[in-house]
């Protein structure tokens, strides 16, 4: 019973996607199909959760066999355990809410059916990724979500900037994907199988820090870093905001970017035996969280703030994974999905009602005008800043306590600093958008559907931390003994940041023009996301273009054209002997005789 | 004795041949050619082939060269021909053909002298003509018929080719 | 008192070489035909000289046939020369380049 449900869960969105891609349907029917496919999957997940609440044994089910080579078998097998159950709950639950939101958001758009088709396809691919039993099926899902991300970012494809952003996202994640594929092959070489359980079991028996295991874990991590926008592959995410806001909410906040974290959490035993790689993961996570948080402090585009915020929060999750706190990382993943989706959807509603205005400096005083959006933003930002008793609070504190428990002082300090910056930019965002003088008035009311969805997500952000937190606090290893400073500093720093932001806002620091050139430069660097775009431009794009300029006349083609030219020259040479001149013919006969006799003499053929 | 005669006539033949091929005047060239033929006829006689010597003089020098002279006379335009011939051929520009024939000569001489050296016996056979006659009408009678046919076809062909096809051509 | 065959052969070949020179170097058709005659004569001499190695008069028979062939060839050649002169009023062989290509 549960097995067939498990098979149905990824199949329903896939079927919905295919229907929407192939048939031309009226608007209502298309929406209905899209929403119902995800809704039914969500119901199935709920049912499974209810059934397995008491005791949970992993469930396995299969769509069929994929390839069989000699003794190596690979099937479309799905595997459900605690981690993947949590993931599919998020995917189907939050995904369904976002689908409902999109029904209202894309109500007047021309490509309505295409949008839902891609969205359904994305959910199907993500489910395949999460439920996959073996690495190749996971990679299939991985590629699928990359494809759907590309399709959805460039959804409004008539605008060139959107296409460029979609290309950027796809190409940068591709770099990660290639590394991951190599890692996958190395794992297969090492362990003889691509089955995740198998690999985890075998890895636990190996001595730690084996070279091949280290290398393959590093490559898998690079793949995860590409997908989850970590340093140095992080600058595609801010540009990916060119897509419709529900896309940003679903893909770039709640689900796709969490695929990397899921990958590492899944291979817990494998990564546990690659300690150097775990160190690298932790360091990269810290760098990324500081990078994202600092860049978010100066952005003017509403969605870009949220994008950098996502990068920063993903850094937290990787930091947790790097210190071995997988449960904390997954917990933060869940809470982040809630409040980030809420923030993005609220931003979407805001942009929708302000006639596609993205600049926060042009907004203000919307607290009274758009109450539900304001509440959504305030609750979401509060959860983001890890204010006490909200969902984000529990998960972030868990991560930081694990970090300091392992003794990584600098990483912990980075985490606290990141928390400070997070609270700062969240407060800045709220103060600039919702308080102060009114600059632009919303020209239409918020659709009912959007409000309902936001209300659901508000509830989840408020309460979603409590139940799992109580479970998490029961883990024996996870209640570390913390000193007073390390316990209370992370709790107090958001409040300090909010106070600072209020003071700056009051003094008008945010809107005042910057005079000193040093600050101006620094401001610009942060605004450009630490200039990674121009770095990659110089490192990769410009050399490539100069190579193409050198090869303008196609060096390889020149070789073939040289052959052709030589042939033509030979042809001209030999056809010049056919000039009809009888003297030449005579002479050539005699010449041939002379040469022939000479050859005979020289080779001694005529004695 | 025979050797001296041979060397003499060989030198004459070669000299006349050289003058023939480098001359600018066609008639002069032909006359020198006659002398060359006569020298070769002498060599034939020295080899003990009097019939061949006679034929050389009668047919080659006497008929073929005369035919040449007829045609040359017909087509010769006096001084103009000689001057145009100066343009067409000059010894200075003939370096490469000279090289070519020199190389050819050297090659075959090398070939010749890399083989065996045979002595040759000569005898002035007075009976040889009778022998030739007996062979011609005996063993090789078919060859005579074939040669005659060949000459006949050459005759007909020459007449046909040289006949003017329209009145305009004939008036030249 | 014997004549070494090598002398005869060298003489014949020298005459042949002179004929080759004439054919290649001259542009006047008549002179080319003359040079061809010289070559033919040289070859005929070679035949006769070689035939003296063997008993019998076969050499002179072959000389007769070579002669007949030379006569026939010259007849036709000169007829062609006459035709060419009638058409172009010149005996330059470079005019006969219609076979180009």
């Amino acid at each position: 019973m549960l097995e067939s449900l498990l098979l149905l869960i990824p199949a329903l969105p896939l079927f919905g996607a295919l229907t929407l891609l192939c048939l031309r349907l009226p608007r209502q029917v298309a929406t209905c199909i899209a929403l119902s496919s995800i809704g039914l999957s969500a119901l199935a997940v709920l049912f499974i959760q209810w059934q397995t609440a008491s005791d949970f044994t992993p469930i396995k089910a299969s769509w069929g066999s994929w390839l069989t080579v000699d003794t190596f078998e690979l099937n479309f097998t799905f595997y459900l355990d605690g981690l993947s159950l949590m993931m599919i709950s998020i995917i189907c639950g939050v995904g369904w809410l976002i689908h409902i939101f999109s029904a209202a958001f894309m109500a007047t758009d021309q490509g309505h059916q295409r949008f839902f088709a891609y969205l359904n396809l994305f959910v199907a691919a993500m489910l395949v990724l999460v439920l996959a039993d073996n690495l190749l099926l996971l990679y299939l899902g991985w590629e699928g979500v990359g494809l759907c991300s590309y399709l959805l970012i460039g959804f409004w494809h008539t605008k060139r900037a959107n296409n460029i952003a979609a290309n950027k996202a796809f190409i940068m994640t591709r770099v990660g994907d290639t590394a991951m594929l190599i890692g996958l092959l190395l794992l297969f070489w090492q362990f003889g199988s691509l089955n995740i359980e198998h690999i985890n079991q075998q890895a636990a028996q190996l001595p730690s820090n084996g070279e091949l295991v280290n290398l393959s874990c590093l490559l898998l991590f690079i793949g995860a870093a590409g997908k989850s926008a970590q340093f140095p592959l992080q600058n595609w995410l801010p540009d990916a905001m060119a897509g419709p806001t529900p896309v940003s909410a679903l893909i770039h906040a709640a689900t796709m970017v969490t695929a990397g974290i899921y990958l590492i959490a899944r291979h817990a035993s494998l990564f546990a035996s690659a300690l150097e790689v775990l160190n690298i993961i932790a360091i990269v996570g810290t760098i990324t969280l500081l990078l994202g948080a600092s860049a978010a402090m100066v952005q003017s585009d509403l969605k870009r703030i949220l994008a950098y915020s996502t990068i920063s929060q993903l850094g937290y999750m990787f930091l947790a994974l790097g210190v071995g706190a997988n449960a904390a990382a997954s917990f933060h993943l869940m809470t982040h999905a809630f409040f980030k989706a809420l923030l993005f959807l609220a931003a979407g509603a805001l942009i929708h009602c302000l006639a596609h205005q993205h600049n926060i400096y042009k907004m203000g005083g919307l607290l009274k005008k758009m109450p539900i959006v304001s509440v959504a933003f305030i609750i979401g930002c509060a959860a983001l800043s890890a204010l006490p008793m909200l969902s984000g609070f529990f998960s972030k504190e868990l991560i930081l306590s694990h970090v300091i428990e392992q003794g990584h002082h600098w990483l912990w300090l980075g985490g606290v600093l990141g928390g400070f910056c997070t609270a700062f930019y969240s407060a800045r965002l709220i103060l600039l958008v919702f308080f102060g003088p009114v600059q632009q008035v919303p020209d239409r009311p918020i659709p009912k559907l959007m409000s309902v969805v936001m209300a659901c997500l508000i509830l989840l952000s408020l309460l979603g931390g409590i139940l799992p937190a109580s479970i998490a606090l029961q883990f024996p290893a996870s209640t570390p003994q913390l000193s007073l400073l390390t316990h209370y500093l992370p709790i107090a720093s958001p409040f300090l940041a909010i106070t600072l932001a209020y003071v700056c806002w009051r003094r008008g620091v945010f809107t005042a023009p910057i005079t000193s050139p040093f600050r101006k430069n620094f401001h610009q660097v942060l605004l450009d996301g630490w200039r990674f775009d121009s770095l990659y431009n110089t490192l990769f794009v410009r050399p490539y273009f100069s190579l193409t300029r050198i090869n303008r006349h196609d060096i390889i083609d020149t070789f073939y054209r040289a052959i052709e030219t030589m042939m033509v020259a030979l042809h001209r040479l030999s056809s010049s002997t056919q000039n009809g001149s009888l003297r030449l013919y005579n002479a050539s006969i005699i010449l041939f005789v002379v040469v022939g006799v000479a050859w005979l003499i020289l080779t001694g053929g005529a004695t | 004795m025979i050797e001296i005669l041979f060397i003499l006539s060989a030198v004459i033949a070669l000299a006349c041949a050289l003058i023939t091929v480098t001359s600018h005047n066609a008639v002069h060239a032909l006359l020198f050619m006659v002398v060359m033929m006569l020298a070769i006829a002498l060599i034939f006689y020295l080899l003990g082939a009097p019939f061949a010597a006679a034929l050389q003089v009668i047919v080659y020098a006497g008929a073929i060269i005369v035919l040449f002279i007829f045609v040359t006379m017909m087509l010769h335009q006096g001084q103009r021909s000689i001057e145009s011939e100066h343009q067409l051929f000059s010894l200075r520009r003939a370096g490469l053909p000279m090289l070519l024939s020199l190389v050819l000569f050297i090659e075959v001489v090398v070939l010749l002298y890399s083989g065996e050296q045979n002595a040759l016996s000569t005898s002035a056979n007075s009976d040889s003509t009778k022998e030739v006659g007996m062979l011609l009408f005996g063993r090789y009678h078919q060859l005579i018929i074939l040669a005659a046919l060949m000459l006949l076809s050459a005759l007909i062909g020459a007449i046909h080719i040289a006949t003017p096809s329209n009145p305009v051509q004939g008036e030249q | 008192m014997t004549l070494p065959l090598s002398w005869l052969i060298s003489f014949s070949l020298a005459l042949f070489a002179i004929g080759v020179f004439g054919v290649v170097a001259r542009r006047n058709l008549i002179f080319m035909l003359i040079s061809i005659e010289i070559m033919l004569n040289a070859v005929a001499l070679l035949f006769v000289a070689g035939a003296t190695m063997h008993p019998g008069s076969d050499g002179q028979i072959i000389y007769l046939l070579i002669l007949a062939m030379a006569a026939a060839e010259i007849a036709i050649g000169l007829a062609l020369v006459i035709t060419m002169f009638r058409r172009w009023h010149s005996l330059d062989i470079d005019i006969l380049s219609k076979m180009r290509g």
Side-chain angles (χ1 to χ4, degrees), chain A residues 572-595:
Chain A
R572 278 218 204 94
L573 190 66
S574 43
S575 61
S576 66
T577 61
Q578 302 293 312
N579 56 357
S581 155
L582 289 175
R583 277 203 307 148
L584 182 70
Y585 294 168
N586 272 343
S588 53
I589 294 173
I590 309 285
L591 186 65
F592 175 72
V593 169
V594 170
V595 169

Short mmCIF file of all heavy atoms in Angstrom, two decimals, chain A residues 572-595:
data_model
loop_
_atom_site.label_atom_id
_atom_site.label_comp_id
_atom_site.label_asym_id
_atom_site.label_seq_id
_atom_site.Cartn_x
_atom_site.Cartn_y
_atom_site.Cartn_z
N ARG A 572 46.24 22.75 -61.40
CA ARG A 572 46.64 23.77 -62.39
C ARG A 572 47.96 23.38 -63.03
O ARG A 572 48.15 23.57 -64.23
CB ARG A 572 46.80 25.13 -61.70
CG ARG A 572 45.50 25.77 -61.55
CD ARG A 572 45.53 27.26 -61.75
NE ARG A 572 44.38 27.73 -61.00
CZ ARG A 572 44.46 28.15 -59.76
NH1 ARG A 572 45.63 28.25 -59.17
NH2 ARG A 572 43.38 28.48 -59.10
N LEU A 573 48.84 22.85 -62.19
CA LEU A 573 50.15 22.44 -62.72
C LEU A 573 49.98 21.37 -63.78
O LEU A 573 50.56 21.43 -64.87
CB LEU A 573 51.01 21.91 -61.57
CG LEU A 573 52.46 21.67 -61.91
CD1 LEU A 573 53.12 23.00 -62.20
CD2 LEU A 573 53.17 21.00 -60.76
N SER A 574 49.17 20.35 -63.48
CA SER A 574 49.07 19.26 -64.44
C SER A 574 48.23 19.62 -65.63
O SER A 574 48.45 19.09 -66.72
CB SER A 574 48.54 17.99 -63.76
OG SER A 574 47.48 18.30 -62.92
N SER A 575 47.27 20.51 -65.46
CA SER A 575 46.49 20.87 -66.64
C SER A 575 47.27 21.83 -67.53
O SER A 575 46.92 21.99 -68.70
CB SER A 575 45.15 21.48 -66.25
OG SER A 575 45.35 22.64 -65.51
N SER A 576 48.31 22.44 -67.00
CA SER A 576 49.10 23.29 -67.88
C SER A 576 49.92 22.46 -68.85
O SER A 576 50.45 22.97 -69.83
CB SER A 576 50.04 24.18 -67.06
OG SER A 576 50.99 23.37 -66.40
N THR A 577 50.05 21.14 -68.58
CA THR A 577 50.75 20.31 -69.55
C THR A 577 49.86 19.93 -70.72
O THR A 577 50.33 19.40 -71.72
CB THR A 577 51.25 19.00 -68.90
OG1 THR A 577 50.11 18.29 -68.44
CG2 THR A 577 52.17 19.28 -67.75
N GLN A 578 48.57 20.18 -70.56
CA GLN A 578 47.67 19.83 -71.66
C GLN A 578 47.41 21.05 -72.51
O GLN A 578 46.27 21.41 -72.77
CB GLN A 578 46.34 19.33 -71.09
CG GLN A 578 46.46 18.16 -70.17
CD GLN A 578 46.92 16.95 -70.93
OE1 GLN A 578 46.39 16.64 -71.98
NE2 GLN A 578 47.91 16.27 -70.39
N ASN A 579 48.46 21.73 -72.91
CA ASN A 579 48.23 22.99 -73.59
C ASN A 579 48.21 22.86 -75.10
O ASN A 579 48.14 23.85 -75.80
CB ASN A 579 49.31 24.00 -73.17
CG ASN A 579 50.68 23.45 -73.44
OD1 ASN A 579 50.82 22.31 -73.89
ND2 ASN A 579 51.71 24.24 -73.19
N GLY A 580 48.23 21.63 -75.58
CA GLY A 580 48.11 21.47 -77.02
C GLY A 580 49.39 21.76 -77.77
O GLY A 580 49.43 21.63 -79.00
N SER A 581 50.43 22.12 -77.07
CA SER A 581 51.67 22.43 -77.78
C SER A 581 52.38 21.14 -78.12
O SER A 581 52.83 20.40 -77.25
CB SER A 581 52.56 23.29 -76.88
OG SER A 581 53.90 23.15 -77.25
N LEU A 582 52.50 20.89 -79.41
CA LEU A 582 53.08 19.62 -79.86
C LEU A 582 54.54 19.51 -79.48
O LEU A 582 55.04 18.41 -79.20
CB LEU A 582 52.94 19.50 -81.38
CG LEU A 582 51.50 19.28 -81.84
CD1 LEU A 582 51.43 19.29 -83.35
CD2 LEU A 582 50.99 17.95 -81.31
N ARG A 583 55.21 20.64 -79.44
CA ARG A 583 56.62 20.60 -79.02
C ARG A 583 56.76 20.07 -77.61
O ARG A 583 57.65 19.29 -77.30
CB ARG A 583 57.21 22.00 -79.11
CG ARG A 583 57.66 22.36 -80.51
CD ARG A 583 58.69 23.44 -80.49
NE ARG A 583 58.25 24.59 -79.74
CZ ARG A 583 59.09 25.37 -79.07
NH1 ARG A 583 60.38 25.12 -79.06
NH2 ARG A 583 58.63 26.41 -78.41
N LEU A 584 55.83 20.57 -76.77
CA LEU A 584 55.88 20.11 -75.38
C LEU A 584 55.63 18.61 -75.31
O LEU A 584 56.27 17.89 -74.55
CB LEU A 584 54.85 20.87 -74.55
CG LEU A 584 54.86 20.50 -73.06
CD1 LEU A 584 56.14 21.02 -72.42
CD2 LEU A 584 53.66 21.06 -72.37
N TYR A 585 54.72 18.13 -76.13
CA TYR A 585 54.41 16.71 -76.09
C TYR A 585 55.60 15.89 -76.53
O TYR A 585 55.97 14.89 -75.92
CB TYR A 585 53.20 16.40 -76.97
CG TYR A 585 51.90 17.02 -76.48
CD1 TYR A 585 50.79 17.03 -77.30
CD2 TYR A 585 51.80 17.57 -75.23
CE1 TYR A 585 49.62 17.58 -76.88
CE2 TYR A 585 50.62 18.14 -74.79
CZ TYR A 585 49.53 18.13 -75.62
OH TYR A 585 48.36 18.68 -75.20
N ASN A 586 56.23 16.38 -77.62
CA ASN A 586 57.45 15.73 -78.09
C ASN A 586 58.49 15.66 -76.99
O ASN A 586 59.05 14.61 -76.68
CB ASN A 586 58.07 16.55 -79.24
CG ASN A 586 57.50 16.14 -80.55
OD1 ASN A 586 56.90 15.08 -80.66
ND2 ASN A 586 57.69 16.96 -81.55
N ALA A 587 58.73 16.86 -76.47
CA ALA A 587 59.79 16.96 -75.46
C ALA A 587 59.50 16.06 -74.27
O ALA A 587 60.40 15.44 -73.71
CB ALA A 587 59.92 18.40 -75.00
N SER A 588 58.21 15.96 -73.90
CA SER A 588 57.91 15.14 -72.72
C SER A 588 58.12 13.67 -73.02
O SER A 588 58.53 12.90 -72.15
CB SER A 588 56.48 15.41 -72.23
OG SER A 588 55.57 15.26 -73.28
N ILE A 589 57.86 13.26 -74.27
CA ILE A 589 58.11 11.86 -74.62
C ILE A 589 59.59 11.55 -74.49
O ILE A 589 60.00 10.57 -73.86
CB ILE A 589 57.63 11.55 -76.05
CG1 ILE A 589 56.10 11.67 -76.12
CG2 ILE A 589 58.06 10.18 -76.48
CD1 ILE A 589 55.56 11.57 -77.52
N ILE A 590 60.39 12.43 -75.11
CA ILE A 590 61.83 12.19 -75.06
C ILE A 590 62.33 12.23 -73.62
O ILE A 590 63.15 11.39 -73.21
CB ILE A 590 62.57 13.27 -75.89
CG1 ILE A 590 61.96 13.39 -77.28
CG2 ILE A 590 64.04 12.99 -75.94
CD1 ILE A 590 62.32 12.29 -78.18
N LEU A 591 61.79 13.20 -72.86
CA LEU A 591 62.21 13.34 -71.46
C LEU A 591 61.88 12.08 -70.69
O LEU A 591 62.68 11.61 -69.88
CB LEU A 591 61.50 14.54 -70.85
CG LEU A 591 61.93 14.91 -69.44
CD1 LEU A 591 63.38 15.35 -69.47
CD2 LEU A 591 61.06 16.02 -68.91
N PHE A 592 60.74 11.55 -70.97
CA PHE A 592 60.36 10.33 -70.26
C PHE A 592 61.31 9.20 -70.58
O PHE A 592 61.71 8.42 -69.71
CB PHE A 592 58.92 9.95 -70.62
CG PHE A 592 58.52 8.64 -70.02
CD1 PHE A 592 58.28 8.52 -68.68
CD2 PHE A 592 58.41 7.51 -70.82
CE1 PHE A 592 57.93 7.32 -68.12
CE2 PHE A 592 58.04 6.31 -70.27
CZ PHE A 592 57.80 6.21 -68.93
N VAL A 593 61.65 9.09 -71.87
CA VAL A 593 62.59 8.03 -72.25
C VAL A 593 63.91 8.21 -71.54
O VAL A 593 64.47 7.26 -70.97
CB VAL A 593 62.79 8.04 -73.78
CG1 VAL A 593 63.94 7.14 -74.14
CG2 VAL A 593 61.53 7.60 -74.47
N VAL A 594 64.38 9.47 -71.52
CA VAL A 594 65.67 9.74 -70.87
C VAL A 594 65.61 9.37 -69.39
O VAL A 594 66.49 8.66 -68.88
CB VAL A 594 66.03 11.24 -71.03
CG1 VAL A 594 67.22 11.58 -70.16
CG2 VAL A 594 66.35 11.54 -72.48
N VAL A 595 64.57 9.84 -68.75
CA VAL A 595 64.45 9.57 -67.31
C VAL A 595 64.30 8.07 -67.05
O VAL A 595 64.88 7.52 -66.12
CB VAL A 595 63.26 10.35 -66.73
CG1 VAL A 595 62.95 9.90 -65.32
CG2 VAL A 595 63.55 11.84 -66.74
#
